[in-house]
Amino acid sequence: MCEPTHYRIDYEINQWMRRANAVRTERANAQWRGLHETLIALGVDVELVEQGADTPDMTFTANAGIVAGERFIPANFRFPERQLEEARFTGWFQEHGYRIETVHEPHYWEGEGDVLPGEGAVFAGYRFRTEFRALDHIDELLGCETVRLELTDPRFYHLDTCLAPLGGGRGLFYPPAFTEESRRALAERFATLIAVSDHDAARFACNAVVAGETVVLNAGCTETVRALREHGLAVVETPMDEFIKAGGSVKCLLLMLDAFGDGRGRP
């Protein structure tokens, strides 16, 4: 995770960002601390990377890349506004003993925002922030064929904004964010798919993280919380509205260090 010391909206690179909609810094810091404390209370070990003054979106660490065993595969950010983050994240992982392996430029891709493990597979979203051809290189590096999912709604520009693998054959998703073919691919991989409403999708219900049998997600997603509990999961709600201003929520604020296990998509 990355404490939002310099988090602000300096530019507009997705449909949520408005420079006129300024971040309330104290509230954002309190919300981030609340998430950090929640994860620690759930038994999650959290490492911190320091944010640069020139990288206001660096707090959204999920986009930094993916960690595959002892390797870090850094993102090739699509927009120049975020490309300064690449060196900072790569430097942190080098200092912590990881081997750096890269996706060939100029193919853009944005890390765990679009590449998520679950159900013994690796799901990969593409169109808005990750280029289809970049996923060929991801397949090579992970040694497996990703399940490619085409995204359709620019509001849900990363896969982790519209899909959350929950474990135990369960998944949380927003159907209109995917093509019909992609919805079929998800149905083949998950025994149970929980569809979120338009209201909850706009509150980033799918941008959730699972710790054990507990799902952590933004506050105010009443229907989704009810559905998750009906499927045997505990739920913790934590407010994230200051981060939704920039197009992110719970999952966007953390990069998993062990989700890919042995580096081949197997936790």
Side-chain angles (χ1 to χ4, degrees):
M1 297 183 73
C2 176
E3 189 170 357
T5 310
H6 303 287
Y7 169 55
R8 59 192 183 277
I9 300 176
D10 277 356
Y11 41 77
E12 300 174 9
I13 59 173
N14 66 53
Q15 293 200 357
W16 302 90
M17 301 179 87
R18 296 289 181 271
R19 280 174 288 185
N21 190 19
V23 170
R24 292 177 289 180
T25 301
E26 289 187 10
R27 182 173 174 81
N29 288 337
Q31 290 181 352
W32 184 90
R33 286 194 300 270
L35 174 60
H36 181 257
E37 291 166 4
T38 293
L39 294 172
I40 290 174
L42 289 170
V44 177
D45 294 325
V46 180
E47 298 279 353
L48 298 179
V49 59
E50 186 176 351
Q51 185 175 24
D54 55 352
T55 54
D57 274 345
M58 191 173 165
T59 193
F60 298 113
T61 55
N63 309 140
I66 59 175
V67 179
E70 296 180 350
R71 298 175 296 156
F72 175 61
I73 307 170
N76 295 334
F77 283 101
R78 179 173 185 177
F79 291 104
E81 289 87 345
R82 295 202 66 182
Q83 289 170 3
L84 288 174
E85 298 175 30
E86 295 172 13
R88 287 187 173 275
F89 282 120
T90 298
W92 187 94
F93 280 96
Q94 286 175 324
E95 290 170 4
H96 287 77
Y98 288 82
R99 186 169 74 256
I100 310 300
E101 296 185 2
T102 60
V103 169
H104 304 321
E105 294 183 344
H107 302 308
Y108 55 85
W109 81 289
E110 299 200 353
E112 225 171 59
D114 277 325
V115 180
L116 293 171
E119 299 309 304
V122 178
F123 298 96
Y126 69 92
R127 184 177 179 186
F128 299 112
R129 295 296 190 86
T130 291
E131 185 181 355
F132 187 87
R133 289 187 63 191
L135 298 176
D136 294 338
H137 302 296
I138 294 296
D139 287 359
E140 293 172 8
L141 291 168
L142 293 181
C144 67
E145 186 176 347
T146 53
V147 179
R148 302 191 186 189
L149 305 169
E150 184 175 5
L151 306 180
T152 61
D153 188 331
R155 295 176 303 160
F156 304 100
Y157 54 94
H158 279 145
L159 182 63
D160 70 358
T161 66
C162 48
L163 174 69
L166 303 172
R170 300 161 296 195
L172 190 66
F173 82 131
Y174 180 54
F178 299 92
T179 63
E180 183 177 348
E181 181 179 358
S182 296
R183 291 195 294 271
R184 286 198 300 268
L186 288 169
E188 291 172 0
R189 292 286 182 170
F190 289 92
T192 302
L193 278 171
I194 304 168
V196 306
S197 65
D198 294 343
H199 173 272
D200 286 5
R203 293 194 61 78
F204 279 51
C206 294
N207 196 239
V209 65
V210 180
E213 288 291 308
T214 300
V215 180
V216 183
L217 78 169
N218 180 39
C221 302
T222 306
E223 293 179 25
T224 302
V225 169
R226 183 185 306 115
L228 290 169
R229 288 175 174 156
E230 288 174 354
H231 284 86
L233 291 157
V235 181
V236 174
E237 299 179 76
T238 188
M240 288 280 109
D241 51 277
E242 288 301 318
F243 296 94
I244 290 177
K245 290 178 177 180
S249 187
V250 171
K251 176 63 190 73
C252 290
L253 292 167
L254 58 98
L255 174 68
M256 297 181 285
L257 297 177
D258 60 356
F260 287 85
D262 63 1
R264 296 190 177 275
R266 297 187 293 267

